[in-house]
Each structure stands twice: as C-alpha cells, then as structure tokens.
Amino acid sequence: MNDFTLNAEVRSDLGKGASRRLRRLAALVPAVVYGGDKAPESISMLAKEVAKLLENEAAYSHIIELNVGGKKQNVVIKALQRHPAKGHVMHADFVRVVAGQKLTAIVPVHFVNEAAPVKKGGEISHVVAEIEVSCLPKDLPEFIEVDLANAEIGSIIHLSDLKAPKGVEFVALAHGDDKAVANVHAPRVAPEATEEGAAE
C-alpha cells in the first residue's frame, strides 16, 4: 500500500506564460514526469495537494503514486522549484520508478549527536539539507544520517565522510564533487565577561 499519492491532469498548454497562468488563476503547480521507456509528460496538480504531501518529509524520498487522469504510475521527486520569498512549490520534476532500474532522488539529511561538538564549545553549520542519491527503487533511503559525535572544532564533514546505505551511491561523489555537508567552528563572538570583570 502506497501512503503517498498525488492526483494530476495532463497539461497541453505549455510554456512559461502558461505555467504562470496555471499558478495564478487555477492554483495549480505545473510539473513534468520523466524516465522509464515513456516520453516526458507535462502535468498539473493542485497546489494545496502538493503542499499537503510535502508536509511529510518522507515524501521527498518515498515512491509516490501519481494518478494522471485515472492512469496510475509510481514516481519519485527529482527536483522542486520554489518561490524565492514565499517558499511554495512553483514547478516539480518527477522520475518514473521502474523495478530493477536505478533512479536518482533527493533525500533529506538528518544530523545526529549535535550536542557532542557543542559541549566542546563548537558551533555547527549545516551546509546542505538534502543529498542526491542513485539507487534501485527498493534501496531508496528515507534519509541520510550525519553523525557528529566525533566532530572536532575546526572540522568539515564532507560527503566522502558519510556512510552510504547499502546499494546507495551519492551522485555528487560519482561526479568527483566531494561536497561539504556540515562544519564545526569556534564561536564567532568571544565572551566579553572577562573584559567587563577587568574593567570593574
């Protein structure tokens, strides 16, 4: 049973102007479905349905049942284009899921044991909130865990430092791009209590 479903309609009115009209007049989100052995398909979905689906973080890395005019297909989210100020989804790309065929998907990052470097006086900066992965549909992880238990002040955690789940490959690494995921740095503002004490 698939918990993640979206209803959509085929979209024949294409182009940027048409997409703007969809968003403004009909509260619809334009999208494209790629992959498998079928041609790309332009669709539109109700903006409120998309927003409701994305309230659950797991939707980003789960197989979604997309119902396009009564025809169902399994897809994953490939990319979302959001409004720069308001944050709502303006356009979506989906990839069809084919059993036995690798797919790429965006997976959320979960940071754990953040208290450890903080206790040492460090501050943590999250550089990324999600990672693109490549894997078979059955191996698609809900999230990628970043363990900061042993992170030292001044250290940078890179993609290559993470343990990918079995059967999962980080797309950026495959392209030779070892991205920073997080860094631990000393506090930017030094405590002033000692200076005040000296002045008194």
Side-chain angles (χ1 to χ4, degrees), residues 141-191:
E142 277 197 26
F143 57 86
I144 298 295
E145 188 175 280
V146 180
D147 191 346
L148 298 171
N150 299 315
E152 298 293 336
I153 295 173
S155 66
I156 298 175
I157 293 88
H158 288 89
L159 211 47
S160 58
D161 298 323
L162 308 185
K163 190 175 187 301
K166 189 179 178 188
V168 176
E169 185 179 38
F170 297 137
V171 173
L173 271 186
H175 294 154
D177 180 11
D178 192 7
K179 292 182 175 184
V181 176
N183 58 56
V184 182
H185 48 81
R188 291 195 172 91
V189 181

Side-chain angles (χ1 to χ4, degrees), residues 49-80:
E49 277 199 24
V50 176
K52 189 168 188 297
L53 178 85
L54 297 179
E55 283 174 6
N56 185 343
E57 183 198 53
Y60 288 88
S61 54
H62 254 80
I63 293 169
I64 296 165
E65 187 180 87
L66 189 63
N67 184 354
V68 183
K71 292 181 182 175
K72 295 179 180 178
Q73 54 188 319
N74 287 341
V75 299
V76 292
I77 296 169
K78 166 75 174 167
L80 296 173

Side-chain angles (χ1 to χ4, degrees), residues 118-135:
V118 171
K119 279 180 184 169
K120 300 173 190 170
E123 288 185 356
I124 299 162
S125 293
H126 299 163
V127 181
V128 300
E130 55 195 26
I131 294 171
E132 190 175 18
V133 301
S134 171
C135 62

Side-chain angles (χ1 to χ4, degrees), residues 191-200:
E192 294 174 9
T194 49
E195 292 172 23
E196 287 170 10
E200 286 171 15

Side-chain angles (χ1 to χ4, degrees), residues 7-161:
N7 295 308
E9 294 297 330
V10 174
R11 175 167 59 98
S12 55
D13 191 7
L14 306 178
K16 283 190 174 178
S19 294
R20 275 198 295 272
R21 283 194 295 278
L22 276 177
R23 288 192 287 265
R24 195 173 65 243
L25 302 177
L28 295 171
V29 175
V32 180
V33 186
Y34 301 96
D37 53 2
K38 299 177 187 171
E41 185 177 22
S42 296
I43 60 170
S44 60
M45 306 160 296
L46 282 173
K48 64 180 182 183
E49 277 199 24
V50 176
K52 189 168 188 297
L53 178 85
L54 297 179
E55 283 174 6
N56 185 343
E57 183 198 53
Y60 288 88
S61 54
H62 254 80
I63 293 169
I64 296 165
E65 187 180 87
L66 189 63
N67 184 354
V68 183
K71 292 181 182 175
K72 295 179 180 178
Q73 54 188 319
N74 287 341
V75 299
V76 292
I77 296 169
K78 166 75 174 167
L80 296 173
Q81 182 190 339
R82 292 183 181 274
H83 189 283
K86 297 175 184 173
H88 58 256
V89 176
M90 297 174 65
H91 189 276
D93 288 337
F94 297 100
V95 178
R96 295 183 184 99
V97 173
V98 181
Q101 189 174 308
K102 278 193 171 186
L103 55 82
T104 57
I106 304 293
V107 176
V109 171
H110 283 190
F111 294 92
V112 297
N113 294 320
E114 293 186 88
V118 171
K119 279 180 184 169
K120 300 173 190 170
E123 288 185 356
I124 299 162
S125 293
H126 299 163
V127 181
V128 300
E130 55 195 26
I131 294 171
E132 190 175 18
V133 301
S134 171
C135 62
L136 291 170
K138 68 180 180 64
D139 294 326
L140 186 62
E142 277 197 26
F143 57 86
I144 298 295
E145 188 175 280
V146 180
D147 191 346
L148 298 171
N150 299 315
E152 298 293 336
I153 295 173
S155 66
I156 298 175
I157 293 88
H158 288 89
L159 211 47
S160 58
D161 298 323

